[in-house]
PDB file of all heavy atoms in Angstrom:
ATOM      1  N   PRO A  10      10.426  -2.058  -3.372  1.00 91.00           N
ATOM      2  CA  PRO A  10      11.523  -2.812  -2.764  1.00 91.00           C
ATOM      3  C   PRO A  10      11.931  -2.006  -1.436  1.00 91.00           C
ATOM      4  O   PRO A  10      12.518  -2.655  -0.609  1.00 91.00           O
ATOM      5  CB  PRO A  10      12.692  -2.637  -3.774  1.00 91.00           C
ATOM      6  CG  PRO A  10      12.016  -2.507  -5.127  1.00 91.00           C
ATOM      7  CD  PRO A  10      10.786  -1.736  -4.732  1.00 91.00           C
ATOM      8  N   MET A  11      11.668  -0.801  -1.245  1.00 88.00           N
ATOM      9  CA  MET A  11      12.040  -0.079  -0.065  1.00 88.00           C
ATOM     10  C   MET A  11      11.074  -0.210   0.981  1.00 88.00           C
ATOM     11  O   MET A  11      11.246   0.286   2.157  1.00 88.00           O
ATOM     12  CB  MET A  11      12.213   1.415  -0.491  1.00 88.00           C
ATOM     13  CG  MET A  11      13.354   1.657  -1.501  1.00 88.00           C
ATOM     14  SD  MET A  11      13.530   3.273  -1.960  1.00 88.00           S
ATOM     15  CE  MET A  11      12.499   3.232  -3.523  1.00 88.00           C
ATOM     16  N   LEU A  12       9.781  -0.768   0.831  1.00 89.00           N
ATOM     17  CA  LEU A  12       8.872  -0.828   1.774  1.00 89.00           C
ATOM     18  C   LEU A  12       8.982  -2.116   2.609  1.00 89.00           C
ATOM     19  O   LEU A  12       9.509  -3.080   2.196  1.00 89.00           O
ATOM     20  CB  LEU A  12       7.481  -0.747   1.171  1.00 89.00           C
ATOM     21  CG  LEU A  12       7.118   0.538   0.484  1.00 89.00           C
ATOM     22  CD1 LEU A  12       5.792   0.365  -0.357  1.00 89.00           C
ATOM     23  CD2 LEU A  12       6.949   1.737   1.485  1.00 89.00           C
ATOM     24  N   SER A  13       8.442  -2.041   3.858  1.00 88.00           N
ATOM     25  CA  SER A  13       8.564  -3.257   4.772  1.00 88.00           C
ATOM     26  C   SER A  13       7.633  -4.229   4.176  1.00 88.00           C
ATOM     27  O   SER A  13       6.771  -4.003   3.348  1.00 88.00           O
ATOM     28  CB  SER A  13       8.095  -2.933   6.115  1.00 88.00           C
ATOM     29  OG  SER A  13       6.768  -2.578   6.191  1.00 88.00           O
ATOM     30  N   ASP A  14       7.694  -5.594   4.560  1.00 91.00           N
ATOM     31  CA  ASP A  14       6.884  -6.569   4.258  1.00 91.00           C
ATOM     32  C   ASP A  14       5.345  -6.372   4.572  1.00 91.00           C
ATOM     33  O   ASP A  14       4.467  -6.820   3.955  1.00 91.00           O
ATOM     34  CB  ASP A  14       7.302  -7.877   4.798  1.00 91.00           C
ATOM     35  CG  ASP A  14       8.767  -8.364   4.295  1.00 91.00           C
ATOM     36  OD1 ASP A  14       9.056  -7.876   3.133  1.00 91.00           O
ATOM     37  OD2 ASP A  14       9.344  -9.156   4.929  1.00 91.00           O
ATOM     38  N   GLU A  15       5.197  -5.585   5.636  1.00 92.00           N
ATOM     39  CA  GLU A  15       3.853  -5.390   6.150  1.00 92.00           C
ATOM     40  C   GLU A  15       3.274  -4.018   5.742  1.00 92.00           C
ATOM     41  O   GLU A  15       2.228  -3.641   6.376  1.00 92.00           O
ATOM     42  CB  GLU A  15       3.886  -5.324   7.727  1.00 92.00           C
ATOM     43  CG  GLU A  15       4.417  -6.566   8.449  1.00 92.00           C
ATOM     44  CD  GLU A  15       6.025  -6.537   8.513  1.00 92.00           C
ATOM     45  OE1 GLU A  15       6.506  -5.434   8.628  1.00 92.00           O
ATOM     46  OE2 GLU A  15       6.601  -7.452   8.429  1.00 92.00           O
ATOM     47  N   TRP A  16       3.770  -3.475   4.816  1.00 91.00           N
ATOM     48  CA  TRP A  16       3.294  -2.032   4.379  1.00 91.00           C
ATOM     49  C   TRP A  16       1.912  -1.975   4.067  1.00 91.00           C
ATOM     50  O   TRP A  16       1.121  -1.051   4.430  1.00 91.00           O
ATOM     51  CB  TRP A  16       4.164  -1.406   3.328  1.00 91.00           C
ATOM     52  CG  TRP A  16       3.898  -2.012   1.939  1.00 91.00           C
ATOM     53  CD1 TRP A  16       4.701  -3.117   1.382  1.00 91.00           C
ATOM     54  CD2 TRP A  16       3.000  -1.590   0.948  1.00 91.00           C
ATOM     55  NE1 TRP A  16       4.166  -3.359   0.107  1.00 91.00           N
ATOM     56  CE2 TRP A  16       3.146  -2.523  -0.278  1.00 91.00           C
ATOM     57  CE3 TRP A  16       2.018  -0.646   0.900  1.00 91.00           C
ATOM     58  CZ2 TRP A  16       2.344  -2.448  -1.313  1.00 91.00           C
ATOM     59  CZ3 TRP A  16       1.250  -0.492  -0.178  1.00 91.00           C
ATOM     60  CH2 TRP A  16       1.446  -1.414  -1.414  1.00 91.00           C
ATOM     61  N   GLN A  17       1.333  -3.004   3.370  1.00 94.00           N
ATOM     62  CA  GLN A  17      -0.126  -2.975   2.879  1.00 94.00           C
ATOM     63  C   GLN A  17      -0.971  -3.117   4.230  1.00 94.00           C
ATOM     64  O   GLN A  17      -2.013  -2.336   4.165  1.00 94.00           O
ATOM     65  CB  GLN A  17      -0.409  -4.144   1.944  1.00 94.00           C
ATOM     66  CG  GLN A  17       0.214  -4.006   0.646  1.00 94.00           C
ATOM     67  CD  GLN A  17      -0.148  -5.042  -0.284  1.00 94.00           C
ATOM     68  OE1 GLN A  17      -1.355  -5.360  -0.454  1.00 94.00           O
ATOM     69  NE2 GLN A  17       0.907  -5.848  -0.862  1.00 94.00           N
ATOM     70  N   SER A  18      -0.707  -3.977   4.978  1.00 94.00           N
ATOM     71  CA  SER A  18      -1.608  -4.183   6.235  1.00 94.00           C
ATOM     72  C   SER A  18      -1.487  -3.031   7.229  1.00 94.00           C
ATOM     73  O   SER A  18      -2.512  -2.552   7.566  1.00 94.00           O
ATOM     74  CB  SER A  18      -1.339  -5.391   6.871  1.00 94.00           C
ATOM     75  OG  SER A  18       0.008  -5.458   7.420  1.00 94.00           O
ATOM     76  N   ASN A  19      -0.292  -2.439   7.359  1.00 91.00           N
ATOM     77  CA  ASN A  19      -0.051  -1.233   8.077  1.00 91.00           C
ATOM     78  C   ASN A  19      -0.859  -0.062   7.518  1.00 91.00           C
ATOM     79  O   ASN A  19      -1.497   0.693   8.344  1.00 91.00           O
ATOM     80  CB  ASN A  19       1.336  -0.960   8.329  1.00 91.00           C
ATOM     81  CG  ASN A  19       2.205  -1.937   9.155  1.00 91.00           C
ATOM     82  OD1 ASN A  19       1.557  -2.659   9.945  1.00 91.00           O
ATOM     83  ND2 ASN A  19       3.480  -1.943   8.982  1.00 91.00           N
ATOM     84  N   ALA A  20      -0.745   0.187   6.303  1.00 91.00           N
ATOM     85  CA  ALA A  20      -1.504   1.233   5.656  1.00 91.00           C
ATOM     86  C   ALA A  20      -2.948   1.126   5.727  1.00 91.00           C
ATOM     87  O   ALA A  20      -3.615   1.992   6.056  1.00 91.00           O
ATOM     88  CB  ALA A  20      -1.000   1.375   4.096  1.00 91.00           C
ATOM     89  N   ALA A  21      -3.439  -0.185   5.482  1.00 94.00           N
ATOM     90  CA  ALA A  21      -4.930  -0.415   5.484  1.00 94.00           C
ATOM     91  C   ALA A  21      -5.431  -0.149   6.937  1.00 94.00           C
ATOM     92  O   ALA A  21      -6.617   0.327   7.058  1.00 94.00           O
ATOM     93  CB  ALA A  21      -5.153  -1.799   5.052  1.00 94.00           C
ATOM     94  N   LYS A  22      -4.654  -0.463   7.983  1.00 94.00           N
ATOM     95  CA  LYS A  22      -5.134  -0.156   9.268  1.00 94.00           C
ATOM     96  C   LYS A  22      -5.564   1.261   9.623  1.00 94.00           C
ATOM     97  O   LYS A  22      -6.418   1.478  10.485  1.00 94.00           O
ATOM     98  CB  LYS A  22      -4.235  -0.677  10.306  1.00 94.00           C
ATOM     99  CG  LYS A  22      -3.989  -2.167  10.352  1.00 94.00           C
ATOM    100  CD  LYS A  22      -2.826  -2.565  11.418  1.00 94.00           C
ATOM    101  CE  LYS A  22      -2.469  -4.028  11.317  1.00 94.00           C
ATOM    102  NZ  LYS A  22      -1.339  -4.292  12.151  1.00 94.00           N
ATOM    103  N   VAL A  23      -4.830   2.180   9.023  1.00 92.00           N
ATOM    104  CA  VAL A  23      -5.067   3.554   9.342  1.00 92.00           C
ATOM    105  C   VAL A  23      -5.871   4.242   8.254  1.00 92.00           C
ATOM    106  O   VAL A  23      -6.347   5.340   8.515  1.00 92.00           O
ATOM    107  CB  VAL A  23      -3.773   4.353   9.600  1.00 92.00           C
ATOM    108  CG1 VAL A  23      -2.940   3.735  10.733  1.00 92.00           C
ATOM    109  CG2 VAL A  23      -2.861   4.353   8.366  1.00 92.00           C
ATOM    110  N   MET A  24      -6.203   3.616   7.201  1.00 91.00           N
ATOM    111  CA  MET A  24      -6.953   4.180   6.077  1.00 91.00           C
ATOM    112  C   MET A  24      -8.374   4.130   6.399  1.00 91.00           C
ATOM    113  O   MET A  24      -8.903   3.255   7.012  1.00 91.00           O
ATOM    114  CB  MET A  24      -6.672   3.533   4.784  1.00 91.00           C
ATOM    115  CG  MET A  24      -5.325   3.749   4.300  1.00 91.00           C
ATOM    116  SD  MET A  24      -4.957   2.831   2.781  1.00 91.00           S
ATOM    117  CE  MET A  24      -5.950   3.752   1.546  1.00 91.00           C
ATOM    118  N   ARG A  25      -9.202   5.135   5.969  1.00 90.00           N
ATOM    119  CA  ARG A  25     -10.647   5.195   6.111  1.00 90.00           C
ATOM    120  C   ARG A  25     -11.440   4.044   5.364  1.00 90.00           C
ATOM    121  O   ARG A  25     -12.206   3.352   5.838  1.00 90.00           O
ATOM    122  CB  ARG A  25     -11.226   6.515   5.869  1.00 90.00           C
ATOM    123  CG  ARG A  25     -12.587   6.694   6.116  1.00 90.00           C
ATOM    124  CD  ARG A  25     -13.135   8.160   5.921  1.00 90.00           C
ATOM    125  NE  ARG A  25     -12.565   8.721   4.624  1.00 90.00           N
ATOM    126  CZ  ARG A  25     -12.316  10.022   4.562  1.00 90.00           C
ATOM    127  NH1 ARG A  25     -12.791  10.829   5.636  1.00 90.00           N
ATOM    128  NH2 ARG A  25     -11.875  10.548   3.442  1.00 90.00           N
ATOM    129  N   ASN A  26     -11.041   4.022   4.087  1.00 87.00           N
ATOM    130  CA  ASN A  26     -11.656   3.034   3.170  1.00 87.00           C
ATOM    131  C   ASN A  26     -10.456   2.508   2.423  1.00 87.00           C
ATOM    132  O   ASN A  26     -10.247   3.069   1.307  1.00 87.00           O
ATOM    133  CB  ASN A  26     -12.678   3.616   2.321  1.00 87.00           C
ATOM    134  CG  ASN A  26     -13.820   4.119   2.929  1.00 87.00           C
ATOM    135  OD1 ASN A  26     -14.502   3.465   3.687  1.00 87.00           O
ATOM    136  ND2 ASN A  26     -14.269   5.327   2.710  1.00 87.00           N
ATOM    137  N   PRO A  27      -9.745   1.486   2.859  1.00 91.00           N
ATOM    138  CA  PRO A  27      -8.538   1.044   2.236  1.00 91.00           C
ATOM    139  C   PRO A  27      -8.795   0.674   0.689  1.00 91.00           C
ATOM    140  O   PRO A  27      -9.313  -0.483   0.478  1.00 91.00           O
ATOM    141  CB  PRO A  27      -8.041  -0.118   3.032  1.00 91.00           C
ATOM    142  CG  PRO A  27      -8.880  -0.196   4.205  1.00 91.00           C
ATOM    143  CD  PRO A  27     -10.130   0.664   4.021  1.00 91.00           C
ATOM    144  N   GLU A  28      -8.196   1.441  -0.144  1.00 92.00           N
ATOM    145  CA  GLU A  28      -8.199   1.094  -1.613  1.00 92.00           C
ATOM    146  C   GLU A  28      -6.742   1.216  -1.975  1.00 92.00           C
ATOM    147  O   GLU A  28      -6.219   2.450  -2.006  1.00 92.00           O
ATOM    148  CB  GLU A  28      -9.072   1.900  -2.461  1.00 92.00           C
ATOM    149  CG  GLU A  28      -9.061   1.668  -3.908  1.00 92.00           C
ATOM    150  CD  GLU A  28      -9.804   0.327  -4.276  1.00 92.00           C
ATOM    151  OE1 GLU A  28     -10.603  -0.110  -3.489  1.00 92.00           O
ATOM    152  OE2 GLU A  28      -9.286  -0.303  -5.406  1.00 92.00           O
ATOM    153  N   ILE A  29      -5.944   0.242  -2.099  1.00 93.00           N
ATOM    154  CA  ILE A  29      -4.546   0.352  -2.468  1.00 93.00           C
ATOM    155  C   ILE A  29      -4.260  -0.066  -3.836  1.00 93.00           C
ATOM    156  O   ILE A  29      -4.717  -1.184  -4.380  1.00 93.00           O
ATOM    157  CB  ILE A  29      -3.740  -0.561  -1.442  1.00 93.00           C
ATOM    158  CG1 ILE A  29      -3.887  -0.105   0.009  1.00 93.00           C
ATOM    159  CG2 ILE A  29      -2.229  -0.491  -1.755  1.00 93.00           C
ATOM    160  CD1 ILE A  29      -3.282  -0.936   0.990  1.00 93.00           C
ATOM    161  N   LEU A  30      -3.528   0.749  -4.568  1.00 92.00           N
ATOM    162  CA  LEU A  30      -3.321   0.553  -6.080  1.00 92.00           C
ATOM    163  C   LEU A  30      -1.699   0.721  -6.249  1.00 92.00           C
ATOM    164  O   LEU A  30      -1.163   1.574  -5.531  1.00 92.00           O
ATOM    165  CB  LEU A  30      -4.000   1.566  -6.862  1.00 92.00           C
ATOM    166  CG  LEU A  30      -5.592   1.387  -6.756  1.00 92.00           C
ATOM    167  CD1 LEU A  30      -6.184   2.563  -7.452  1.00 92.00           C
ATOM    168  CD2 LEU A  30      -6.094   0.184  -7.288  1.00 92.00           C
ATOM    169  N   ILE A  31      -1.215  -0.027  -7.056  1.00 94.00           N
ATOM    170  CA  ILE A  31       0.189   0.116  -7.568  1.00 94.00           C
ATOM    171  C   ILE A  31       0.244   0.674  -8.947  1.00 94.00           C
ATOM    172  O   ILE A  31      -0.409   0.251  -9.874  1.00 94.00           O
ATOM    173  CB  ILE A  31       0.804  -1.335  -7.554  1.00 94.00           C
ATOM    174  CG1 ILE A  31       0.616  -2.075  -6.304  1.00 94.00           C
ATOM    175  CG2 ILE A  31       2.287  -1.156  -7.975  1.00 94.00           C
ATOM    176  CD1 ILE A  31       1.369  -1.440  -5.080  1.00 94.00           C
ATOM    177  N   HIS A  32       1.125   1.674  -9.078  1.00 94.00           N
ATOM    178  CA  HIS A  32       1.367   2.262 -10.401  1.00 94.00           C
ATOM    179  C   HIS A  32       2.445   1.556 -11.076  1.00 94.00           C
ATOM    180  O   HIS A  32       3.547   1.430 -10.638  1.00 94.00           O
ATOM    181  CB  HIS A  32       1.720   3.789 -10.299  1.00 94.00           C
ATOM    182  CG  HIS A  32       2.147   4.370 -11.574  1.00 94.00           C
ATOM    183  ND1 HIS A  32       3.433   4.570 -11.940  1.00 94.00           N
ATOM    184  CD2 HIS A  32       1.284   4.640 -12.641  1.00 94.00           C
ATOM    185  CE1 HIS A  32       3.390   5.055 -13.163  1.00 94.00           C
ATOM    186  NE2 HIS A  32       2.114   5.098 -13.645  1.00 94.00           N
ATOM    187  N   ASP A  33       2.064   0.803 -12.204  1.00 96.00           N
ATOM    188  CA  ASP A  33       3.048   0.060 -12.986  1.00 96.00           C
ATOM    189  C   ASP A  33       3.729   0.999 -14.044  1.00 96.00           C
ATOM    190  O   ASP A  33       3.033   1.339 -14.969  1.00 96.00           O
ATOM    191  CB  ASP A  33       2.243  -1.128 -13.541  1.00 96.00           C
ATOM    192  CG  ASP A  33       3.253  -2.126 -14.381  1.00 96.00           C
ATOM    193  OD1 ASP A  33       4.281  -1.680 -14.987  1.00 96.00           O
ATOM    194  OD2 ASP A  33       2.930  -3.326 -14.361  1.00 96.00           O
ATOM    195  N   ARG A  34       4.999   1.299 -13.670  1.00 95.00           N
ATOM    196  CA  ARG A  34       5.634   2.271 -14.670  1.00 95.00           C
ATOM    197  C   ARG A  34       5.734   1.669 -16.104  1.00 95.00           C
ATOM    198  O   ARG A  34       5.707   2.436 -17.081  1.00 95.00           O
ATOM    199  CB  ARG A  34       6.959   2.543 -14.109  1.00 95.00           C
ATOM    200  CG  ARG A  34       7.067   3.506 -12.923  1.00 95.00           C
ATOM    201  CD  ARG A  34       8.492   3.748 -12.611  1.00 95.00           C
ATOM    202  NE  ARG A  34       8.559   4.715 -11.478  1.00 95.00           N
ATOM    203  CZ  ARG A  34       9.561   5.588 -11.141  1.00 95.00           C
ATOM    204  NH1 ARG A  34      10.590   5.547 -12.059  1.00 95.00           N
ATOM    205  NH2 ARG A  34       9.474   6.327 -10.145  1.00 95.00           N
ATOM    206  N   ALA A  35       6.057   0.454 -16.184  1.00 96.00           N
ATOM    207  CA  ALA A  35       6.218  -0.152 -17.534  1.00 96.00           C
ATOM    208  C   ALA A  35       5.006  -0.112 -18.334  1.00 96.00           C
ATOM    209  O   ALA A  35       4.995   0.171 -19.569  1.00 96.00           O
ATOM    210  CB  ALA A  35       6.759  -1.631 -17.402  1.00 96.00           C
TER     211      ALA A  35
END
């Protein structure tokens, strides 16, 4: 909820090999 709407695309742009995962606490 604290991240911007574009956080995934912004992060992927600067990553070498974009692999994005979410840690589900529940």
